[in-house]
Amino acid sequence: MEINDLTPAEARVWRAFATGTAVDFRAADDEDPADGGAWGPERTVRAAVLRALLLDGPREGGEVAALNLAGARVTGPLELQYATVDHPLRLRHCHFDDVPRLYAARLRDVNLSESVLPGLIAHALRVEGVLRLTRARFGGMVRLGGAEITSSLYLESTDIHAPDTEGPALQLNQAVLGADLWAPGLRARGTVRLDGARVAGTVNLTDAVLDRPDGTALQAETLAAEADVLLRRARVRGRLEFRGARVPGRLDLSQASLANPAGTALRASSCVIGELWLRQCPRVEGTLNLRRSQVDVLFVEPEAIPRWVQLNDLTYTSLIPHEPAERRLPMLEMGDSYLPFVYEQLTAAYRRIGDDDAARRVQLAKQRRHRRTLPWYGRLWGHLQDLTVGYGFRPLRAGGWLLSLLAVGSVAYGLDHPPPLKPAESPDFNPVFYTLDLLLPVISFGQENAFAPEGGHQTLSYVLIITGWILATTVITGLTRTVSRH
């Protein structure tokens, strides 16, 4: 393209390119590029001119050529498919009439911050340096699937409005980032897709607003982040999908609001996570699914737990903050199925910090939950074990029952001694040891076989014998269960 074919605005940009000089058409720093459709020819630049500059623009010895433009209206599509551009590309505070097409381009240090665009097509883009889309506003999809960025991708306070599109609003699936995905304050109306993305640093979505009601707001299956994934204070309407993600640092949902009442609000199943934080936030609206995940530190406050959780085969080393067992148990019982493993995990977490009483309470709750799955006769036997010795976790109950029955028998037989079977050979009657003889199977004090109660006392002896056997059996069952766990 010849210089004579350029408008005065384009000629100014052309001359500045050779030295990388900044060209700023703005009349004021606070003007809104959303109004750029009305900007006149004095600040309008054809995308074809920009393309010609980037591909074969003028050079000046000793200078670094760069396209550094602000406050311009860019007309026509900026088409750089498959292009290799060795110059920085900075188009800030600009208004684009058409969607830039950067498919499979090789660029350096791209900056479209504070600009307004109808969308962006940049599949398989490679950027040697940083890609900045800070506070940019997109009226359609941003397609960066398979992109490779050697440094960071910046999306601070970026607004992407594409709720009615068939595909995701922001596509970063299979993208590879050499540093961070830095997107605090990102606002996306539509799905944000990070499936299979590889981020060498942190994924920062603090204060983000992700809105896809009745759909998936964030699709991040098999995401691999080398540091943290931060969604602190995020507001999410729709599903958070992290199945198969690998996050060695924190998956931090502190103070986040998660709402997908008709389905799953958070799915972090089959994940490997260093720390999962769900704290200081309102109760999750929807299902919480952590099945088959491995978490080192599970920082979950009971107030955040929704009415429905799925914890099958979830393993964790530490559960914080430390709460009484009564505060944690409802999380294990929110479901129709009896899952012994979840009780064992919670028991192990309490034992690691030395809270054996809480561990016993969890095990007692496990037996009570299991009881509901048994036939009527199994439930009857379970109730009996629970009432007498608390399934072996309340052994003092057996002592209480024995003392009570011992007192009843001692008083009853002390007031009315049963007659001896052989008066000449019988020992002196002792109501206490006679009652113990009836209550304790195996042990004998020589009283039971020497005397024969009659009438009501005989009935009482049967009751004491049967009760003694039941107590002995339940105590042995409970002790066996306890010993087998150690």
Side-chain angles (χ1 to χ4, degrees), residues 439-459:
L439 281 172
L440 301 177
V442 182
I443 299 175
S444 175
F445 295 100
Q447 294 279 317
E448 180 183 358
N449 296 329
F451 299 91
E454 299 174 346
H457 286 175
Q458 187 177 32
T459 302

Side-chain angles (χ1 to χ4, degrees), residues 83-97:
T84 298
V85 177
D86 295 326
H87 317 293
L89 170 59
R90 304 186 182 101
L91 295 169
R92 300 176 64 240
H93 302 281
C94 292
H95 179 96
F96 288 77
D97 286 354

Side-chain angles (χ1 to χ4, degrees), residues 409-423:
S410 299
V411 171
Y413 295 123
L415 294 174
D416 186 6
H417 295 190
L421 290 173
K422 298 178 181 180

